[in-house]
Amino acid sequence: MSAKQPAVWSIQSEGIIEAESLFINTRHIAVGWPKMGNLSQIEASRDAFRIKIAACYLEMHTRLIPIYASELFQFVHRIAIADVVVFPAAFDRKIYLGQIKGPYRYDPSLSESYPNLYPVKWLTALPETQFTPRTLREIRFPMMISRIRDNPEEMLALLETGTGYSGRAE
């Protein structure tokens, strides 16, 4: 029987310097949403996350609430220890690949703006040219958290070999 393959997640920081510094310097991935407090205290359902977002962020457009609720639910209840995380950094235009090393935690002392986090061990940082165009599109999908479903094998292979895309046709 083969070991279960870890899930691969892309996390975006929208180029925010504070988030990128937190991710790289303190070795965490994080999301903000400070008004919501400890996300693990919200009932484990997307509906509960929708209700909490609507109550905490009254100015938010109602069409966005289910999208963000789904992302936050996944962040707390789907990401697991040993999963792979992919972070496209704006500051150096590299793609960081790492592994989740501990459980979700709420820690506003580390960052008031990004209190919801996971510890991560960064394993490599590669230039964008190491990735196929198809994979780059998925990594850069405009969501703060998304599971890489189309081609997670490419990221897992990069972690094993340290080599990537060589300009081959897709």
Side-chain angles (χ1 to χ4, degrees):
M1 180 183 276
S2 64
K4 182 183 171 206
Q5 183 173 334
V8 179
W9 300 90
S10 175
I11 185 151
Q12 307 285 332
S13 71
E14 300 176 9
I16 299 169
I17 293 169
E18 180 184 357
E20 291 192 352
S21 176
L22 175 72
F23 287 14
I24 303 306
N25 297 334
T26 70
R27 295 178 306 279
H28 286 86
I29 59 166
V31 295
W33 303 88
K35 292 180 188 176
M36 292 185 56
N38 185 337
L39 299 177
S40 69
Q41 298 301 309
I42 301 169
E43 177 188 324
S45 75
R46 285 178 172 81
D47 283 337
F49 276 79
R50 283 186 201 110
I51 290 165
K52 184 74 171 181
I53 290 171
C56 292
Y57 296 91
L58 300 174
E59 71 285 359
M60 184 172 292
H61 195 287
T62 56
R63 289 186 201 173
L64 296 175
I65 292 171
I67 296 166
Y68 291 136
S70 180
E71 290 182 50
L72 293 175
F73 174 84
Q74 287 187 101
F75 185 78
V76 177
H77 297 290
R78 296 290 185 253
I79 293 177
I81 296 170
D83 279 356
V84 172
V85 64
V86 181
F87 167 56
F91 73 92
D92 65 2
R93 306 294 295 169
K94 289 187 177 178
I95 309 291
Y96 286 75
L97 289 98
Q99 189 171 44
I100 301 294
K101 298 311 274 182
Y104 162 86
R105 72 175 209 240
Y106 175 75
D107 186 354
S109 70
L110 195 57
S111 170
E112 287 183 19
S113 300
Y114 295 89
N116 299 288
L117 40 85
Y118 284 93
V120 64
K121 178 179 181 183
W122 296 114
L123 302 170
T124 191
L126 300 169
E128 293 178 351
T129 55
Q130 294 291 105
F131 297 83
T132 62
R134 180 176 119 199
T135 297
L136 276 176
R137 281 190 300 275
E138 193 168 16
I139 290 170
R140 294 203 177 277
F141 191 74
M143 293 180 75
M144 67 181 156
I145 302 139
S146 59
R147 184 162 178 186
I148 303 291
R149 295 186 188 276
D150 193 33
N151 195 14
E153 296 81 13
E154 183 173 336
M155 268 67 73
L156 297 173
L158 283 167
L159 285 175
E160 286 183 27
T161 65
T163 62
Y165 178 63
S166 61
R168 64 190 180 279
E170 286 191 64

